[in-house]
Amino acid sequence: MLVAMSGDEVIRSPDVERKNRVPPGQKITDHWPVLHYGQVPRVDPSQWKLTISGLVKRELRLSYEEFLSLPRVRVLSDVHCVTGWSYLDNLWEGVSTGEIKRLAGLKPEARFVIVHAEGGFTTNLSVEDFFQPDVLFAIKHNGKTLTPEHGYPVRLVVPRLYFWKSAKWVTGVEFTAEDRPGFWETHGYHNRGDPWKEERYSTTAF
Ligand SMILES: Nc1nc2c(c(=O)[nH]1)N[C@H]1C(S)=C(S)[C@@H](COP(=O)(O)O)O[C@H]1N2
Ligand SMILES: [Mo]
């Protein structure tokens, strides 16, 4: 199979260039924890679709085969979970969010992204955060296909925000004019989640 890759180049997330790579209140872990709400869905790739909808010029519904034929990028990033662990030096391979923008085209009113995952999970991002050059739909981690626990077949990776924004088992993204807080964001987590500012929890009362 012919897979377009931008050479051997690896996009280095800006966090990996910091002298101190561990944000305040975090501790490094040497194994990769598994964390999510609910059960691990067993996704059949022949049934899986990625839907790009909402404020786009062309709605897309990509099969797994179509998704795999898109140009790939590789990104080196650190992972910071709001519960306090950080896992450094992850090499991701997948499709850049910029590639999706190129294919679907954004309407000018699109300001937010709702990421949809199996079982009704959602998370929300601004279009600015979503289209940073180190954000991707990952299919591989450190050279190996993602395991079901870590999001197979496709997970989002948003390196500059706490890891809850990196939805596993992604099924679609929806572009909206209004923000719509997702699963963790409506269960007490911060709406944005910058680990360097310790944007862990929402300050509004629940
Ligand atoms: N679909 C889905 N994705 C999710 C979650 C979830 O509950 N459901 N939890 C998030 C949280 S809080 C974290 S820390 C990471 C953990 O990813 P990992 O299990 O690959 O380490 O997944 C994120 N993505
Ligand atoms: Mo998390």
Side-chain angles (χ1 to χ4, degrees), residues 32-37 81 85 117 121 149-150 155 163-164 166-169 184:
W32 187 11
V34 170
L35 209 95
H36 52 262
Y37 175 78
C81 172
W85 54 266
F121 178 92
E149 293 72 23
H150 288 298
R155 83 173 299 160
F163 208 33
W164 84 77
S166 296
K168 304 194 272 193
W169 318 293
W184 291 113

Side-chain angles (χ1 to χ4, degrees), residues 34-52:
V34 170
L35 209 95
H36 52 262
Y37 175 78
Q39 303 283 307
V40 174
R42 302 287 152 169
V43 182
D44 175 354
S46 72
Q47 303 297 311
W48 180 86
K49 295 271 188 301
L50 182 71
T51 305
I52 313 299

Side-chain angles (χ1 to χ4, degrees), residues 21-130:
R21 289 174 60 176
V22 187
Q26 297 291 112
K27 278 201 171 70
I28 290 184
T29 171
D30 57 11
H31 72 283
W32 187 11
V34 170
L35 209 95
H36 52 262
Y37 175 78
Q39 303 283 307
V40 174
R42 302 287 152 169
V43 182
D44 175 354
S46 72
Q47 303 297 311
W48 180 86
K49 295 271 188 301
L50 182 71
T51 305
I52 313 299
S53 64
L55 298 171
V56 289
K57 293 178 180 152
R58 297 167 291 278
E59 289 217 346
L60 303 178
R61 217 170 128 72
L62 301 169
S63 69
Y64 188 52
E65 207 177 325
E66 289 166 332
F67 183 81
L68 290 183
S69 72
L70 298 178
R72 304 252 180 104
V73 292
R74 289 188 299 162
V75 172
L76 185 70
S77 86
D78 296 339
V79 160
H80 309 294
C81 172
V82 71
T83 61
W85 54 266
S86 290
Y87 188 56
L88 306 187
D89 284 320
N90 302 275
L91 183 64
W92 307 98
E93 182 179 319
V95 176
S96 163
T97 52
E99 182 64 25
I100 296 299
K101 188 194 221 170
R102 196 179 64 74
L103 292 172
L106 276 206
K107 290 190 176 167
E109 315 87 87
R111 292 188 49 225
F112 298 94
V113 185
I114 316 300
V115 182
H116 294 263
E118 296 286 341
F121 178 92
T122 61
T123 189
N124 58 310
L125 294 155
S126 68
V127 289
E128 290 78 17
D129 284 333
F130 183 75

